[in-house]
Amino acid sequence: MSDARDEREWLKKERRDEARESIYSPGEEIGEMHFNAENFTTALEYFTNTLARPELTPYPERFRILLRVSDCHRKRGDFVSAEQFLREARAVRAALPDEAIGRLEYREGYLLLWQGQYDEALKTAFAAYRKLKQSESHGEVAYIQLLIANSYQRLGLVAEAEEFFMDSLSSYRRAEDRVGIAYVYNSLGLLHKNACRWTRALASLSKSLDLAKTLGLSHHLIVVQLNLGVVYSKMRRFEDAISACDAAALGAERLGDQISLTRALLMLGRTQVARGLPGRGEKALLRAQTMAMDFGYPRELALADEYLGELMIARQDYRGARANLDAALEKARRLAPEGDVVAECLRRLADVQYRTGDFTAALASIEEGLRISGQCGERFETGFYHRTHALCLARLGDIDGALRAMSLSTDAFEENANPYEKAVSQQMLARICTRFRTEGVLLKAKAALADSVVVLARLDDSRAQIISHALLCGIERRLGNYDDALLAVYEADRLAADEECARFRRPIAALRRRVETQMSSATRRVLDQFSVLGDIQGGARSRDQLTRGLDATLRLMIERLGARAAFIAIPSSQHRGMQVVVREGMPARDANAIESWYSKRPDPSRSPLVISELESNPEVAGLCGRIGLTSGTLLFQDLGFDQERLGLMCVHKEGEPHRSAVTQDDLHFVAAYSSLISLSVYELVRSERKGKTVRPSRSAGRGFQSILTENREMIRLLNLAERVAHSDATVLLQGETGTGKGLIAYAVHLLSERRDRPFVHVNCAALPEHLLESELFGHVRGAFTNAYFDKDGLLIEANGGTIFLDEIGKTSMAMQGKLLQFLDTGKVRKVGSNEMMAVDVRVVCASKSNLLKMVDEGRFLEDFFYRINDFPLTVPPLRERKEDIPLLMSHYIDKLSRELERPVEGASPEFIGRLGEYHWPGNVRELEKVIKRAIILAEDGDTLDIRHLAPEVMRSAETEPAPREETLRERIEQIEQVMILEAMRRLDGNKSQVAVHLGISYPNLLSKIKRYNIQ
């Protein structure tokens, strides 16, 4: 109340908008004060008492008070009484000026709006606007603009509504009418809500709420609380929504605001149904329906039928739901045929029609609903329409169309910032995909479910997560990934441990048993097929043992492929050429003839060769004539390793005429075995050439598998890395970009006792400071804007493992201080939290900058530098280890030619020479890019030559850069180091005497000792 009285300055001349007549009596003045403070009941008493005075003139006094009495009744939701007093004011209309008629008309417009007659409300509002827009009553003009905007919004004309909302806001600001500004912000919040702009909606409504509290606007406060409840409900923040609706209902009941109470009960009931409390929701909805009928609120009556229909759907009473929704749709069409209530009702009606099997009617409702939603700007419903459309198409057999529609649904929910419903659509997309057996569609379903699991985990919805994991299990089973399927089941079982989800435990247990049964069956099949692998892999110890393994393999292949005959040939130990060592179903003479014919073919290839229809194939006519083969298919598979041909596998299989007997699965099976056999044959041949048996070679270490080097300095560094890996010392890797600091960091992790725990790589240069802090330490809900959920930082995720902080020199001083505190205490504190959490993480840092120089320049914390410098390792650049260039080149040629599917035949000596002459500012990473470019430019089968090299490599080789001269500063630093070391040695390390001897201050000497790392 006091705040409202303090705001008398809003009114000025514009807020005395009953023209410029003076207030007739103190009673009317007190009534105005209560009206402006939204104490409409008290204001009504004063206005009614004033109206009873016999000395009032018909115009302007009686006319003015009649309008105010009507306003009080309208604000309290008593539209019948409000209209009655407007009719009484209209009785003196013949004597009224245009401005007075305009004031009467816009009040009639508001009554029409509340009664759902949107077209008539708009016409009446424009009539009033024409009469008052040139007047000095800016507050009333703004109120009319607000009426026009609301009418447009109800009619689904969003662009026009937003234009008049902004005009109204400008008018209220000119009039310095903070009450009107509060009204407009509330309406803008609803506009943003319809467009699913949740953040902007909450911002506008929060501004309106703050103004309502500041100005003591009791009735408006109720309206804003109610609208906040609507937004919270659509965002699935049900607890916040129920709290806001409860507050609105209590306030409306206390003030006797029937229309606001009806709306609050409607929203409260709907939210409780969505929250899973149908009993409470039904009670609130039935009370709201009764009030809407008693007081004549047509829009609210349509909404009551709609929400009761939702309640019936939740109870699976589809007949009752259909009756309520049909009634709601009929009422909504009378109010606004293209309005938002019609769009909502059609969506729910389509859902019921789908559930009852009336797919044709559902598709018709969806088509109409999508059209109306697009026209009225009700974007929230779009994703639901596409989802129901997909389900109908799936039931009608149009699976491709169903997948497209469900993808549209997930896209719509993504665009409308509705993550929960997006996850539900992804689950339904997976259900549709399970009707396919094609790998591509199943992988699409797997990706969708994986995304839904992440989203639902953020929303902390355990039940929905369980459903996603169960569906993911089914997809993994169909893909044959039984381990991943079992992991999905275990995750679902972990979530079901919550009491609220206990009902899922039994079906999850049954699902786990099915997966385990399938795993056992698959394992038995694999054991049957690969039981001979031990013999093959052990065959490198002797030719006899290998022959026994190959013989068992050949029998397995014949059985698996249903072949008639087969043989395997490997290099002979007695003479050059191949020797058939095992055969089945074929004479030795025929096997040798086939091997000899195959080895003489031009351009032998590692790829399988299939020759079908032997009786009519001219390529093998002579061979078949000699050995008596008249039908079937021959399958040839080369054995080879490291560019060396090591033998041949040949299979003869019968089949139907004019059709190859060999399938794609047969080719895969033979290729898989050929790789295993090739490796064992290679080991045998190598051992025979060396004249000794093969001893198991000691591995260079699991961690250094991806690091190739012959450089002595690099090998020394790797040995140091292996030693430090077994401790928890902080490692600092320094070196130029592209030298492999990340690979060494990962190797340190793999060689440590933490190898089975997470390895988390963080590029500190890629994230701004405020985001880096949140990523590393995590944050709690509400710590900053858009922090809607608690989030664990990467330090917590790496608990027990290793975190690699790349480009640590790019962090700010403040971030370095926070990391220093973590390294000292072993504890992290989330952003916005006061609690410290202990974590056990090994830290590896890397930087291409000279951190010690940065310390001297004041750009890097000295304490932090010495804290991370437990064990420094400097990676040499590629130009200082030229002997590694051919090794790395061969590796990248082999790797990239496979990836690019562009086979090349090595590199020319000129090409290798130019690589060795280049200075490699980008190091190994640049070498990889140069090789990739050369392979792309080469033709299939080419040898890489200098014409394939990048221009910068050619220029560098042609004009060798002159050696870099020392700068003056570097030369001075060298002299300083020598002089300090000599003085320290001469004076037995007495720093005070050294400072005097050198003629510099003691602090300056200490600074130089730290800079040059003098011990």
Side-chain angles (χ1 to χ4, degrees), residues 44 92 124 134 176 213 224 262 278 327 333 388 397 530 582 634 668 679 740 760 769 801 874 891 903 966:
L44 182 60
V92 294
T124 307
Q134 300 300 330
E176 299 181 10
K213 290 178 179 178
V224 180
T262 304
R333 289 190 195 277
T388 308
F530 293 95
V582 291
L634 284 175
H668 289 164
L679 182 60
V760 178
E769 180 182 355
T874 301
H891 166 71
E966 274 188 324

Side-chain angles (χ1 to χ4, degrees), residues 205-331:
L205 291 172
S206 296
K207 290 178 182 178
S208 185
L209 187 71
D210 291 341
L211 284 170
K213 290 178 179 178
T214 300
L215 304 176
L217 305 178
S218 305
H219 281 266
H220 185 65
L221 182 65
I222 294 168
V223 173
V224 180
Q225 287 172 329
L226 174 58
N227 291 333
L228 280 170
V230 174
V231 175
Y232 285 139
S233 181
K234 288 185 178 290
M235 294 175 70
R236 295 188 65 80
R237 292 170 56 178
F238 295 128
E239 298 303 328
D240 292 334
I242 291 173
S243 177
C245 292
D246 270 332
L250 289 172
E253 197 153 24
R254 185 178 66 253
L255 296 177
D257 186 346
Q258 303 302 327
I259 182 66
S260 295
L261 178 58
T262 304
R263 291 172 177 171
L265 289 171
L266 283 172
M267 200 61 232
L268 181 63
R270 185 187 198 187
T271 306
Q272 286 172 331
V273 171
R275 184 71 179 84
L277 304 169
R280 296 181 187 178
E282 183 177 29
K283 183 178 179 181
L285 291 174
L286 290 175
R287 184 183 174 193
Q289 185 183 46
T290 301
M291 292 182 66
M293 288 189 291
D294 291 345
F295 291 100
Y297 304 147
R299 177 182 170 85
E300 285 64 35
L301 194 57
L303 290 173
D305 284 330
E306 177 194 341
Y307 297 166
L308 285 169
E310 286 186 343
L311 173 66
M312 299 300 175
I313 293 175
R315 289 177 170 171
Q316 299 183 355
D317 180 5
Y318 300 126
R319 180 178 298 179
R322 180 69 179 266
N324 277 283
L325 290 170
D326 283 339
L329 187 59
E330 181 183 355
K331 295 180 178 71

Side-chain angles (χ1 to χ4, degrees), residues 980 992 994-1006 1008:
I980 292 172
S992 298
V994 170
V996 173
H997 175 76
L998 296 175
I1000 60 177
S1001 68
Y1002 186 74
N1004 194 6
L1005 174 64
L1006 295 181
K1008 292 181 184 296

Side-chain angles (χ1 to χ4, degrees), residues 553-658:
T553 302
L554 195 67
R555 289 196 299 271
L556 172 64
M557 288 176 56
I558 290 175
E559 179 183 352
R560 167 66 175 76
L561 301 177
R564 179 177 177 180
F567 71 82
I568 297 176
I570 63 174
S572 172
S573 61
Q574 305 296 328
H575 55 79
R576 298 189 60 175
M578 298 296 162
Q579 174 187 2
V580 176
V581 290
V582 291
R583 55 186 171 79
E584 188 76 25
M586 183 181 295
R589 180 179 61 84
D590 292 355
N592 288 325
I594 294 173
E595 191 283 323
S596 177
W597 171 85
Y598 181 82
S599 62
K600 293 175 183 177
R601 292 181 68 255
D603 302 325
S605 170
R606 292 278 181 86
S607 302
L609 171 66
V610 177
I611 301 177
S612 58
E613 300 184 10
L614 297 177
E615 64 277 6
S616 58
N617 194 317
E619 186 178 5
V620 291
L623 173 65
C624 292
R626 290 198 306 273
I627 63 177
L629 281 179
T630 58
S631 63
T633 298
L634 284 175
L635 166 61
F636 297 92
Q637 174 65 60
D638 262 323
L639 303 178
F641 187 81
D642 197 20
Q643 306 299 322
E644 182 178 1
R645 183 167 182 261
L646 296 171
L648 171 69
M649 288 198 317
C650 175
V651 176
H652 177 219
K653 187 176 180 182
E654 296 284 358
E656 299 177 10
H658 310 294

